[in-house]
Amino acid sequence: MFKNSTFACFVWLLLLGVCTNLRVQAQEVTGTVQGKVTGEAGEALPMASVKLKGTTNGVVSDANGNFRLERVKLNATLVISYVNYDEKEVTITDFSQPVQVKLGSSTKQLTDVVVVGYGATRKKRWPAL
């Protein structure tokens, strides 16, 4: 088909580059994830931690349990946690639908309490009698 082997090699390299570029672009689809974190009874969980697994990208939910996380790749996993509730992982497959996360109460008991106090005192010198 190709009489000039240099031209044939160039065409194959060009096709390989285009295919590789399309594959990389398909993996880099990112978007914004929105959702709400609630407890078992449907109550909003404010200040719940919503973090992208394996990264430092994360947010906390607002007073109504709502969150918004940007620059999330498709098929990424969100890790949602809240004090005294079991942690939950959710895989993102669609950016158009809000994520509804219902956390269950944890059966673990807190075993340690650490109290730290900070203060300052001044020593007063009373006049000698």
Side-chain angles (χ1 to χ4, degrees), residues 47-62:
M47 302 300 289
S49 171
V50 181
K51 186 176 175 185
L52 198 55
K53 188 174 186 177
T55 70
T56 58
N57 189 11
V59 295
V60 293
S61 61
D62 64 11

Side-chain angles (χ1 to χ4, degrees), residues 19-116:
C19 291
T20 304
N21 190 24
L22 290 175
R23 194 175 114 222
V24 169
Q25 286 178 354
Q27 293 174 352
E28 296 296 322
V29 175
T30 61
T32 300
V33 176
Q34 296 181 16
K36 184 170 186 169
V37 182
T38 59
E40 289 177 321
E43 74 279 10
L45 297 179
M47 302 300 289
S49 171
V50 181
K51 186 176 175 185
L52 198 55
K53 188 174 186 177
T55 70
T56 58
N57 189 11
V59 295
V60 293
S61 61
D62 64 11
N64 298 320
N66 298 315
F67 67 90
R68 177 184 171 101
L69 188 60
E70 298 180 356
R71 296 184 310 272
V72 177
K73 292 182 182 178
L74 274 179
N75 298 318
T77 302
L78 295 180
V79 179
I80 298 95
S81 60
Y82 192 74
V83 174
N84 210 24
Y85 283 81
D86 289 328
E87 185 176 271
K88 190 168 189 178
E89 292 188 3
V90 177
T91 302
I92 303 303
T93 57
D94 185 14
F95 295 121
S96 63
Q97 298 295 323
V99 177
Q100 301 295 325
V101 181
K102 187 177 278 193
L103 297 180
S105 294
S106 177
T107 57
K108 298 176 185 173
Q109 296 288 326
L110 293 177
T111 57
D112 296 325
V113 176
V114 177
V115 178
V116 178

